[in-house]
Amino acid sequence: TQLLEQSPQFLSIQEGENLTVYCNSSSVFSSLQWYRQEPGEGPVLLVTVVTGGEVKKLKRLTFQFGDARKDSSLHITAAQPGDTGLYLCAGGDGANNLFFGTGTRLTVIP
Amino acid sequence: NAGVMQNPRHLVRRRGQEARLRCSPMKGHSHVYWYRQLPEEGLKFMVYLQKENIIDESGMPKERFSAEFPKEGPSILRIQQVVRGDSAAYFCASAQGQANQPQHFGDGTRLSIL
């Protein structure tokens, strides 16, 4: 089993602040995906990164895949209440398997 | 989450009964995954299926749990003789099948055992 640890586990910030959440593993992954899950719903894919060092931007969200493809980060600029949710990273093993992280629960206070 | 359909959304069973959870993958997707999620936790892999084949069931308990993905119709996760500890949200995801293709999730079935 390839373990992915996310930090922090819980994060509560004021609207307008910036934040970064981390996804770390001792294993190398061929791809890394980030999902956001809201209460009562399934995870929704935000981004997939496949190249070491790759950076992708999605409006106020910036995703980075570590050079060694063992870790990833998600940075949110000027957080808004709509960003509230559970953020999950998931590593792909190059076949068809995904290994999910422990999750970061973000609350943005208006 | 449009595309992957799970039903029912909520299911209540008494201990000892059977629970059947259904999942219709996105159009064109031939790979189905089932996950279990407890409150405030991440997703735990249960089983991975392609049409008519179980590819990996390493995350599924050996007893009482079974899964199928027939040639026609939805994938079914079946739990026999349910116990209180089976209460959880069960999510299905589908993918096209090529390596590194993202999985797309349904909105889950919330199973409650009385």
Side-chain angles (χ1 to χ4, degrees):
Chain A
T1 302
Q2 291 156 292
L3 296 176
L4 280 161
E5 294 286 336
Q6 290 186 240
S7 61
Q9 188 177 358
F10 297 95
L11 184 57
S12 182
I13 62 170
Q14 294 288 332
E15 182 176 359
E17 292 184 347
N18 302 332
L19 68 112
T20 302
V21 298
Y22 300 93
C23 173
N24 295 297
S25 176
S26 58
S27 302
V28 176
F29 293 100
S30 62
S31 69
L32 201 294
Q33 299 170 15
W34 283 92
Y35 293 81
R36 182 171 73 207
Q37 184 180 20
E38 300 191 30
E41 298 182 7
V44 175
L45 179 69
L46 297 175
V47 77
T48 300
V49 286
V50 296
T51 306
E54 183 177 0
V55 176
K56 280 192 174 179
K57 289 183 185 276
L58 184 67
K59 296 183 180 178
R60 294 177 293 101
L61 278 60
T62 302
F63 305 85
Q64 184 163 10
F65 200 10
D67 291 339
R69 289 185 287 126
K70 292 182 179 182
D71 54 81
S72 181
S73 64
L74 158 60
H75 182 80
I76 302 179
T77 304
Q80 298 177 0
D83 297 327
T84 293
L86 177 67
Y87 288 82
L88 296 162
C89 65
D93 65 356
N96 298 99
N97 300 308
L98 273 185
F99 300 90
F100 277 85
T102 48
T104 293
R105 185 163 295 282
L106 171 65
T107 302
V108 181
I109 302 166
Chain B
N1 292 325
V4 179
M5 303 300 295
Q6 289 188 249
N7 67 83
R9 291 294 311 276
H10 301 273
L11 182 61
V12 179
R13 285 288 179 266
R14 296 190 180 278
R15 281 176 294 172
Q17 291 184 321
E18 178 181 286
R20 280 186 179 235
L21 288 59
R22 286 177 288 279
C23 170
S24 296
M26 282 182 70
K27 188 176 181 180
H29 287 190
S30 58
H31 295 238
V32 165
Y33 304 79
W34 285 93
Y35 295 86
R36 184 168 118 149
Q37 187 178 39
L38 295 172
E40 303 300 326
E41 293 189 9
L43 293 160
K44 303 294 185 191
F45 167 78
M46 296 182 72
V47 61
Y48 162 36
L49 310 103
Q50 295 178 28
K51 281 286 186 183
E52 299 185 275
N53 288 304
I54 296 174
I55 306 303
D56 182 353
E57 56 183 347
S58 59
M60 198 159 66
K62 294 288 188 285
E63 297 180 355
R64 302 189 299 108
F65 285 73
S66 62
E68 62 177 12
F69 189 15
K71 187 177 180 181
E72 302 289 338
S75 176
I76 306 286
L77 179 66
R78 182 182 178 205
I79 311 173
Q80 295 178 290
Q81 299 288 321
V82 295
V83 301
R84 287 252 170 90
D86 297 332
S87 295
Y90 292 84
F91 289 95
C92 164
S94 72
Q96 286 183 322
Q98 293 90 345
N100 293 330
Q101 287 296 307
Q103 296 181 15
H104 298 267
F105 284 80
D107 281 336
T109 293
R110 273 129 194 99
L111 176 64
S112 298
I113 308 302
L114 301 180

